[in-house]
Amino acid sequence: MDLFLQTLVNGILIGGILICLTIGFQLTFGVLHVIDFAVGGWAMLGGYTAYWLVTLVGIDPFISIFLVFALFLLIGRGMGPLIYRVRTSRYARPDLMALAFTFGIFLFMQGGALWLWSYNSRSVESVLSGQFLSLGPVTIPLMRLSAFLMAMLFSLGLFILLYRSRFGMAVRALAQDRDHAGLMGVDVKRVSAWVYGIYTGLTAAAGVLIATIYSVNPSVGVRYTLFAFFVAVLAGLGSVGGVLVAGLALGLLEAYVATYIGARYSLLIVFGTLYLALLVAPKGVLGRGI
């Protein structure tokens, strides 16, 4: 029973971080209609940036995460118009062109990471490393608990932005109908570019949190991309609210599979579960996806 409770807590803590990893990805799909293959790459670069900041400057990752968010927000904002141009081009199948374009970005990121940091894993140390909180039979690493709380803070900030600001109203209008939003005075290109910036900032911040718990190397981007796709599809493509349920579900599923069956089977069982879930609910767990 103690092991079951410990696994439950671990799954919830990891699920919260996966929510932060995927929520921007969902928002970008809802507004730009782009399936961004580079999602894992943004998370990987966020982890490496935190590694550099703690190694070269000595800034703790739970402080540097705000710098990483701001840096990648600006990078994504700069790339936003290019993504928008590719997705709205008049050539044949702009959706596939955008898919190929983001896949190329991901390969560029992975190759650059190999060149800069080699294949070796890098640990991102924090003052919280090695500290634990005991609650009865459950032991909670303070690093995981802090990462979970930070992920919830970023996710809550996004929901407040979406539902308590004029910018958020414009974003939701774009997600519902781009043409009508444009006719109502929304600057579609500008808002779309900022949405892409928010997505890259959130994803890089999630990458910092994941790197503090595990480590970061050039191959982790593929794994993060697979997890983001799992959460996005299970939530229902474009459904930001569904990410809350799907992210926790993935965290719990992976934790229990790793504990009771074996970590080597986690991806097999995760995607088998996704296949079965889609047979029952093809529009996601809340039935609000595309």
Side-chain angles (χ1 to χ4, degrees), residues 13 16 29 88 104 111 151 176 188 194 211 267 273 286:
L13 296 180
F29 180 82
T88 59
Q176 290 181 7
V188 176
W194 276 112
L267 284 180
T273 303
L286 299 183

PDB file of all heavy atoms in Angstrom, residues 13 16 29 88 104 111 151 176 188 194 211 267 273 286:
ATOM      1  N   LEU A  13       2.830  14.501  -9.421  1.00  0.00           N
ATOM      2  CA  LEU A  13       3.852  15.547  -9.554  1.00  0.00           C
ATOM      3  C   LEU A  13       4.379  15.623 -10.981  1.00  0.00           C
ATOM      4  O   LEU A  13       4.536  16.713 -11.540  1.00  0.00           O
ATOM      5  CB  LEU A  13       5.006  15.282  -8.574  1.00  0.00           C
ATOM      6  CG  LEU A  13       4.651  15.344  -7.077  1.00  0.00           C
ATOM      7  CD1 LEU A  13       5.879  15.075  -6.225  1.00  0.00           C
ATOM      8  CD2 LEU A  13       4.057  16.704  -6.723  1.00  0.00           C
ATOM      9  N   GLY A  16       1.718  17.097 -13.428  1.00  0.00           N
ATOM     10  CA  GLY A  16       1.622  18.554 -13.418  1.00  0.00           C
ATOM     11  C   GLY A  16       2.630  19.202 -14.344  1.00  0.00           C
ATOM     12  O   GLY A  16       2.323  20.191 -15.040  1.00  0.00           O
ATOM     13  N   PHE A  29      -1.853  24.910 -31.509  1.00  0.00           N
ATOM     14  CA  PHE A  29      -2.654  24.170 -32.488  1.00  0.00           C
ATOM     15  C   PHE A  29      -4.026  24.816 -32.660  1.00  0.00           C
ATOM     16  O   PHE A  29      -4.539  24.945 -33.775  1.00  0.00           O
ATOM     17  CB  PHE A  29      -2.826  22.715 -32.068  1.00  0.00           C
ATOM     18  CG  PHE A  29      -3.649  21.919 -33.046  1.00  0.00           C
ATOM     19  CD1 PHE A  29      -3.066  21.396 -34.185  1.00  0.00           C
ATOM     20  CD2 PHE A  29      -5.000  21.734 -32.839  1.00  0.00           C
ATOM     21  CE1 PHE A  29      -3.828  20.697 -35.107  1.00  0.00           C
ATOM     22  CE2 PHE A  29      -5.773  21.037 -33.756  1.00  0.00           C
ATOM     23  CZ  PHE A  29      -5.183  20.515 -34.898  1.00  0.00           C
ATOM     24  N   THR A  88      -0.225  29.736 -43.559  1.00  0.00           N
ATOM     25  CA  THR A  88      -1.290  30.391 -44.338  1.00  0.00           C
ATOM     26  C   THR A  88      -0.889  30.625 -45.788  1.00  0.00           C
ATOM     27  O   THR A  88      -1.538  31.413 -46.473  1.00  0.00           O
ATOM     28  CB  THR A  88      -1.677  31.732 -43.685  1.00  0.00           C
ATOM     29  OG1 THR A  88      -0.509  32.571 -43.618  1.00  0.00           O
ATOM     30  CG2 THR A  88      -2.242  31.527 -42.300  1.00  0.00           C
ATOM     31  N   GLY A 104      11.856  20.200 -39.410  1.00  0.00           N
ATOM     32  CA  GLY A 104      13.196  20.691 -39.754  1.00  0.00           C
ATOM     33  C   GLY A 104      13.795  21.521 -38.622  1.00  0.00           C
ATOM     34  O   GLY A 104      14.996  21.416 -38.330  1.00  0.00           O
ATOM     35  N   GLY A 111      20.636  18.801 -33.752  1.00  0.00           N
ATOM     36  CA  GLY A 111      22.011  18.838 -34.265  1.00  0.00           C
ATOM     37  C   GLY A 111      22.836  19.903 -33.551  1.00  0.00           C
ATOM     38  O   GLY A 111      24.014  19.673 -33.224  1.00  0.00           O
ATOM     39  N   ALA A 151       5.214  24.522 -12.202  1.00  0.00           N
ATOM     40  CA  ALA A 151       4.455  24.206 -13.421  1.00  0.00           C
ATOM     41  C   ALA A 151       3.006  24.667 -13.295  1.00  0.00           C
ATOM     42  O   ALA A 151       2.416  25.211 -14.234  1.00  0.00           O
ATOM     43  CB  ALA A 151       4.513  22.699 -13.688  1.00  0.00           C
ATOM     44  N   GLN A 176     -11.612  30.142 -32.299  1.00  0.00           N
ATOM     45  CA  GLN A 176     -12.951  29.752 -32.748  1.00  0.00           C
ATOM     46  C   GLN A 176     -13.131  29.975 -34.249  1.00  0.00           C
ATOM     47  O   GLN A 176     -13.649  29.102 -34.950  1.00  0.00           O
ATOM     48  CB  GLN A 176     -13.990  30.548 -31.972  1.00  0.00           C
ATOM     49  CG  GLN A 176     -14.085  30.140 -30.509  1.00  0.00           C
ATOM     50  CD  GLN A 176     -15.142  30.932 -29.759  1.00  0.00           C
ATOM     51  OE1 GLN A 176     -15.892  31.701 -30.335  1.00  0.00           O
ATOM     52  NE2 GLN A 176     -15.195  30.743 -28.447  1.00  0.00           N
ATOM     53  N   VAL A 188      -4.754  39.433 -36.600  1.00  0.00           N
ATOM     54  CA  VAL A 188      -4.551  37.973 -36.589  1.00  0.00           C
ATOM     55  C   VAL A 188      -3.066  37.615 -36.595  1.00  0.00           C
ATOM     56  O   VAL A 188      -2.612  36.770 -35.805  1.00  0.00           O
ATOM     57  CB  VAL A 188      -5.257  37.338 -37.806  1.00  0.00           C
ATOM     58  CG1 VAL A 188      -4.973  35.835 -37.855  1.00  0.00           C
ATOM     59  CG2 VAL A 188      -6.749  37.601 -37.736  1.00  0.00           C
ATOM     60  N   TRP A 194       2.392  36.243 -31.079  1.00  0.00           N
ATOM     61  CA  TRP A 194       2.542  36.226 -29.623  1.00  0.00           C
ATOM     62  C   TRP A 194       2.136  34.875 -29.040  1.00  0.00           C
ATOM     63  O   TRP A 194       2.735  34.410 -28.052  1.00  0.00           O
ATOM     64  CB  TRP A 194       1.716  37.347 -28.991  1.00  0.00           C
ATOM     65  CG  TRP A 194       2.439  38.659 -28.989  1.00  0.00           C
ATOM     66  CD1 TRP A 194       2.133  39.782 -29.694  1.00  0.00           C
ATOM     67  CD2 TRP A 194       3.615  38.976 -28.224  1.00  0.00           C
ATOM     68  NE1 TRP A 194       3.039  40.785 -29.430  1.00  0.00           N
ATOM     69  CE2 TRP A 194       3.961  40.311 -28.522  1.00  0.00           C
ATOM     70  CE3 TRP A 194       4.410  38.272 -27.327  1.00  0.00           C
ATOM     71  CZ2 TRP A 194       5.065  40.942 -27.954  1.00  0.00           C
ATOM     72  CZ3 TRP A 194       5.530  38.891 -26.764  1.00  0.00           C
ATOM     73  CH2 TRP A 194       5.836  40.217 -27.076  1.00  0.00           C
ATOM     74  N   ALA A 211      14.430  18.989 -16.579  1.00  0.00           N
ATOM     75  CA  ALA A 211      15.884  18.805 -16.483  1.00  0.00           C
ATOM     76  C   ALA A 211      16.351  18.783 -15.033  1.00  0.00           C
ATOM     77  O   ALA A 211      17.336  18.116 -14.699  1.00  0.00           O
ATOM     78  CB  ALA A 211      16.596  19.919 -17.251  1.00  0.00           C
ATOM     79  N   LEU A 267       6.535   3.317 -22.892  1.00  0.00           N
ATOM     80  CA  LEU A 267       6.047   3.900 -24.145  1.00  0.00           C
ATOM     81  C   LEU A 267       5.055   2.963 -24.837  1.00  0.00           C
ATOM     82  O   LEU A 267       4.043   3.414 -25.396  1.00  0.00           O
ATOM     83  CB  LEU A 267       7.220   4.216 -25.078  1.00  0.00           C
ATOM     84  CG  LEU A 267       8.033   5.465 -24.736  1.00  0.00           C
ATOM     85  CD1 LEU A 267       9.164   5.654 -25.740  1.00  0.00           C
ATOM     86  CD2 LEU A 267       7.158   6.713 -24.710  1.00  0.00           C
ATOM     87  N   THR A 273      -2.553   2.459 -24.601  1.00  0.00           N
ATOM     88  CA  THR A 273      -3.673   3.076 -23.879  1.00  0.00           C
ATOM     89  C   THR A 273      -4.277   4.210 -24.675  1.00  0.00           C
ATOM     90  O   THR A 273      -5.505   4.381 -24.721  1.00  0.00           O
ATOM     91  CB  THR A 273      -3.168   3.598 -22.519  1.00  0.00           C
ATOM     92  OG1 THR A 273      -2.580   2.521 -21.790  1.00  0.00           O
ATOM     93  CG2 THR A 273      -4.312   4.192 -21.719  1.00  0.00           C
ATOM     94  N   LEU A 286     -12.563  15.167 -22.828  1.00  0.00           N
ATOM     95  CA  LEU A 286     -13.680  16.071 -22.561  1.00  0.00           C
ATOM     96  C   LEU A 286     -14.611  16.222 -23.762  1.00  0.00           C
ATOM     97  O   LEU A 286     -15.600  16.962 -23.705  1.00  0.00           O
ATOM     98  CB  LEU A 286     -13.153  17.453 -22.139  1.00  0.00           C
ATOM     99  CG  LEU A 286     -12.291  17.496 -20.865  1.00  0.00           C
ATOM    100  CD1 LEU A 286     -11.913  18.928 -20.521  1.00  0.00           C
ATOM    101  CD2 LEU A 286     -13.021  16.847 -19.688  1.00  0.00           C
TER     102      LEU A 286
END
